[in-house]
């Protein structure tokens, strides 16, 4: 039986888009890496800059996290009254994280309450420790995995034009060079909700310069015209998109009629130094979220936000990393007149 979330949502495939005259965008399902041995996973990451796993996570577990998230959003008044919370129909007020609308920097005064309610869910943080996910990351890294305590919950409303511009996580996670992000939709996520898109091969471009942009975070990387192969899909509950910190990715505006819910979880080798912010709640430094002590008050265990092995914390600044990445290729020398990675000025915190 289909979940309530599936009702009323037409799935838009690449084939149907092509039928309307628009070139078909590569589908993530065409790159399914489920069951591949470590060597092939490494080759795909080096070439494509991402790995897609269809149904890697238990659908029931993901749906339970979704159920808890929408329950919290319902309690703080973010959902429409008289509707099934699992549908995630937004209420009258559209809430959003910090960013830029047009050329105006915006901040939602009501964001902290709802985001804190979601971030204080133990199940949300436990999901990043799913054995299948950690095993997939570990086989790629070839080392013991450190799951970053900081998880980022994404709540995108269809009521505002608020995309996530093309960007690289490496601008905010410079230590170490090989940090991986797992994007996990909390429920089925058709393309019209603004599902994730990754730019194939983009991690091999190195760090790209940024400029101001409309949307979440308020800035976007400057892309060369030679790289335009965006990969996306109608994602299903349980799917995982795993990509490198240098991989350019984005989400278009939510064109559906319900909230898009997802989380970003990040991983690295436990043998590498870690950035302090990766150990703290997302938004803590900006005053958007309380400390772990407050968030975890009613949890059965705090292991989901505590490294299970001693870590070396290193302060970093924006720019290039000390060591080259192992999982993707470094670009060749920068030609005269081309932008240099050293000119990157990313200042936000995603």
């Amino acid at each position: 039986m289909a979940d309530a979330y599936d009702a009323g949502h037409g799935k838009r495939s690449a084939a149907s888009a092509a039928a309307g005259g628009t070139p078909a965008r590569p589908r993530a399902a065409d790159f399914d890496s489920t069951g591949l041995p470590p060597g092939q996973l490494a080759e795909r990451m080096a070439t494509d800059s991402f790995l897609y796993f269809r149904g890697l996570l238990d659908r029931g577990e993901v749906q339970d996290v979704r159920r808890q998230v929408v329950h919290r959003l319902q309690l703080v008044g973010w959902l429409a009254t008289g509707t099934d919370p699992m549908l995630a129909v937004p209420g009258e007020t559209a809430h959003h994280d910090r960013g830029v609308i047009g050329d105006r920097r915006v901040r939602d005064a009501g964001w902290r309450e709802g985001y804190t309610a979601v971030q204080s869910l133990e199940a949300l943080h436990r999901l990043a420790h799913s054995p299948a996910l950690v095993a997939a990351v570990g086989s790629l890294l070839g080392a013991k995995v450190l799951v970053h305590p900081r998880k980022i919950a994404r709540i995108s409303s269809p009521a505002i034009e608020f995309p996530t511009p093309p960007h690289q996580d490496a601008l905010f996670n410079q230590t170490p060079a090989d940090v991986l992000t797992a994007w996990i939709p909390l429920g089925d996520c058709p393309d019209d909700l603004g599902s994730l898109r990754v730019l194939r091969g983009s991690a091999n471009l190195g760090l790209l310069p940024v400029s101001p942009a409309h949307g979440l975070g308020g800035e976007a990387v400057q892309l060369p015209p030679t790289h335009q192969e965006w990969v996306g899909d109608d994602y299903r509950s349980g799917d995982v998109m795993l990509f490198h910190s240098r991989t350019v990715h984005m989400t278009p505006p939510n064109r559906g009629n319900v909230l898009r819910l997802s989380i970003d979880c990040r991983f690295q080798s436990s043998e590498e130094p870690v950035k302090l912010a990766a150990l703290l709640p997302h938004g803590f430094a900006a005053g958007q979220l309380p400390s772990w002590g407050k968030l975890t008050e009613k949890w059965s265990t705090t292991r989901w936000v505590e490294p299970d092995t001693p870590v070396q914390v290193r302060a970093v600044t924006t720019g290039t990393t000390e060591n080259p990445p192992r999982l993707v290729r470094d670009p060749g020398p920068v030609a005269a007149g081309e932008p240099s990675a050293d000119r990157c000025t990313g200042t936000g915190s995603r």
Side-chain angles (χ1 to χ4, degrees), residues 76-134:
V76 296
W78 283 25
L79 301 184
T81 58
T83 62
D84 182 352
M86 285 296 282
L87 293 173
V89 179
E92 294 183 1
T93 302
H95 292 282
H96 58 83
D97 203 347
R98 295 166 295 162
V100 171
I101 296 180
D103 58 357
R104 179 173 57 91
R105 189 160 289 278
V106 294
R107 191 183 188 103
D108 175 14
W111 179 257
R112 190 178 194 272
E113 180 186 20
Y115 198 56
T116 298
V118 170
Q119 280 282 348
S120 62
L121 287 169
E122 181 178 353
L124 181 88
H125 295 269
R126 183 174 60 235
L127 191 61
H129 292 259
S130 298
L133 176 55
V134 175

Side-chain angles (χ1 to χ4, degrees), residues 123-297:
L124 181 88
H125 295 269
R126 183 174 60 235
L127 191 61
H129 292 259
S130 298
L133 176 55
V134 175
V137 174
S139 66
L140 187 62
L141 290 174
K144 182 177 174 58
V145 175
L146 170 66
V147 181
H148 284 190
R150 177 180 61 180
K151 323 298 189 306
I152 304 176
R154 304 296 188 187
I155 307 168
S156 173
S157 174
I160 56 174
E161 190 81 7
F162 205 60
T164 302
H167 68 281
Q168 296 171 300
D169 291 344
L171 291 177
F172 315 96
N173 298 289
Q174 303 92 340
T175 301
D178 288 310
V179 176
L180 298 171
T181 296
W183 181 82
I184 305 172
L186 297 179
D188 293 349
C189 187
D191 186 72
D192 61 354
L193 295 189
S195 59
L196 178 74
R197 299 179 187 178
V198 295
L199 189 60
R200 188 180 184 192
S202 56
N204 300 323
L205 297 173
L207 289 178
L208 298 169
V210 299
S211 57
H214 167 85
L216 179 68
E219 59 187 29
V221 295
Q222 299 174 24
L223 291 172
T226 53
H227 281 71
Q228 297 297 326
E229 192 175 6
W230 291 98
V231 180
D233 216 324
D234 294 327
Y235 297 91
R236 303 174 187 170
S237 185
D239 292 353
V240 173
M241 179 66 86
L242 185 69
F243 53 90
H244 195 270
S245 62
R246 292 189 181 185
T247 304
V248 178
H249 56 288
M250 54 87 73
T251 58
N254 186 340
R255 306 292 189 191
N257 53 15
V258 300
L259 297 176
R260 183 186 74 244
L261 305 172
S262 64
I263 60 172
D264 293 354
C265 312
R266 290 172 181 155
F267 310 84
Q268 66 172 78
S269 167
S270 63
E271 300 172 359
E272 299 281 351
V274 63
K275 181 180 178 180
L276 176 60
L279 305 177
L280 303 174
H282 178 239
F284 174 76
Q288 292 286 85
L289 223 62
S291 67
W292 286 130
K294 182 68 174 178
L295 291 172
T296 63
E297 278 182 347

